[in-house]
Amino acid sequence: MSAILLLGGRSGIGLAIVEALLSETSGATVLLAQRPRPEAPGSDAEERLRAAGAAEVEVVDFDATALETHATLVEGVFAEHQVSHAVVAFGVLGNQEEAWTEVAAAQRLLTVNSTAAVGIGVALANAMRRQASGKIIALSSVAGVRVRRSNFVYGASKAAMDAFYLNLGVALEGTGVRVLVVRPGAVATGMIAGNKPVAFTVEAPQVAETTMRGLAAGKDVVHVPSLFGPGMALAALLPRALWRRLPV
């Protein structure tokens, strides 16, 4: 029986993607890797995923900041399961002003979004190469394509993660393992709850639908909404002096 691994088991986008995957692979085991909580961890998500077609849902303790545990966690999962898809969906947004004025805040943001994500990617690639199959879906952000002043520490953390996974896909060519980088803009999930409304905000199911289309088409990167693809390509060409004048 195949398994789907969601790293960031409480991620609204991640759960939506797993639901979409289950629509095509009903009967798979779903592994929710997430930070443990005293109260029945993952119970709501478990019911949701069983309703979507999961045969079993298992919760695995995962702390993105505990870097020394990541290789062992991935090795343990792959020792017991044939993982068809691994969704890398963990991350933190943080307070953007604190992130560039407080050392600890900046370090936490980069540790979770960059260092942990890269280490997990290396571990997943090694494990999937051994089984000669598998797909890694890495949740990035358009914030990392051309970093803005308003969230430049977060954007920098996503830029590093994005560049790693995009090139990991190139490195894995011919191994039977594929990588899809998903670059959404603002998504209506708990991560941005309470923040000022942002133009082109999408819902998590829309990200999942675009992800599924990207997998089917064999793409290495998708944007949500799709207009962000050409939009960010143009943004990359803007002179820095002009980019700085745009609303932040």
Side-chain angles (χ1 to χ4, degrees):
M1 182 184 297
S2 65
I4 300 169
L5 172 62
L6 173 57
L7 291 136
R10 296 186 181 91
S11 164
I13 304 174
L15 289 168
I17 291 174
V18 172
E19 286 178 315
L21 291 170
L22 286 169
S23 69
E24 296 189 357
T25 57
S26 183
T29 295
V30 176
L31 306 167
L32 298 177
Q34 60 192 44
R35 293 188 70 175
R37 286 183 180 174
E39 73 285 1
S43 56
D44 291 342
E46 291 177 38
E47 294 178 9
R48 175 177 167 181
L49 294 173
R50 288 195 181 94
E56 295 182 40
V57 180
E58 300 177 15
V59 177
V60 181
D61 288 350
F62 168 62
D63 182 349
T65 63
L67 303 177
E68 70 283 358
T69 68
H70 295 174
T72 301
L73 181 148
V74 172
E75 289 170 5
V77 166
F78 277 78
E80 298 183 6
H81 302 276
Q82 179 82 11
V83 178
S84 61
H85 298 80
V87 184
V88 182
F90 62 90
V92 291
L93 180 61
N95 181 298
Q96 297 309 299
E97 288 305 296
E98 288 180 357
W100 76 272
T101 59
E102 297 183 11
V103 172
Q107 289 174 331
R108 173 172 169 74
L109 207 58
L110 271 292
T111 295
V112 174
N113 294 349
S114 302
T115 307
V118 168
I120 284 291
V122 172
L124 290 173
N126 288 340
M128 286 187 172
R129 278 178 10 183
R130 287 194 294 269
Q131 67 178 24
S133 66
K135 296 179 176 66
I136 300 172
I137 300 167
L139 283 183
S140 180
S141 170
V142 294
V145 179
R146 178 126 195 210
V147 180
R148 300 179 301 148
R149 159 65 183 89
S150 60
N151 61 355
F152 70 92
V153 182
Y154 173 78
S157 72
K158 282 298 187 179
M161 179 261 196
D162 187 289
F164 170 79
Y165 278 95
L166 200 59
N167 287 281
L168 181 64
V170 177
L172 289 170
E173 287 178 359
T175 66
V177 185
R178 284 181 46 206
V179 178
L180 174 65
V181 175
V182 182
R183 294 174 178 166
V187 184
T189 64
M191 178 177 278
I192 65 169
N195 289 1
K196 182 179 178 180
V198 178
F200 304 110
T201 296
V202 299
E203 300 291 331
Q206 185 176 342
V207 181
E209 291 170 10
T210 302
T211 299
M212 296 303 289
R213 289 197 297 270
L215 288 173
K219 293 186 177 181
D220 55 5
V221 61
V222 293
H223 296 79
V224 192
S226 58
L227 61 86
F228 279 165
M232 296 313 295
L234 290 173
L237 300 176
L238 286 177
R240 179 170 173 77
L242 180 58
W243 179 254
R244 292 181 62 179
R245 294 178 187 174
L246 296 178
V248 296

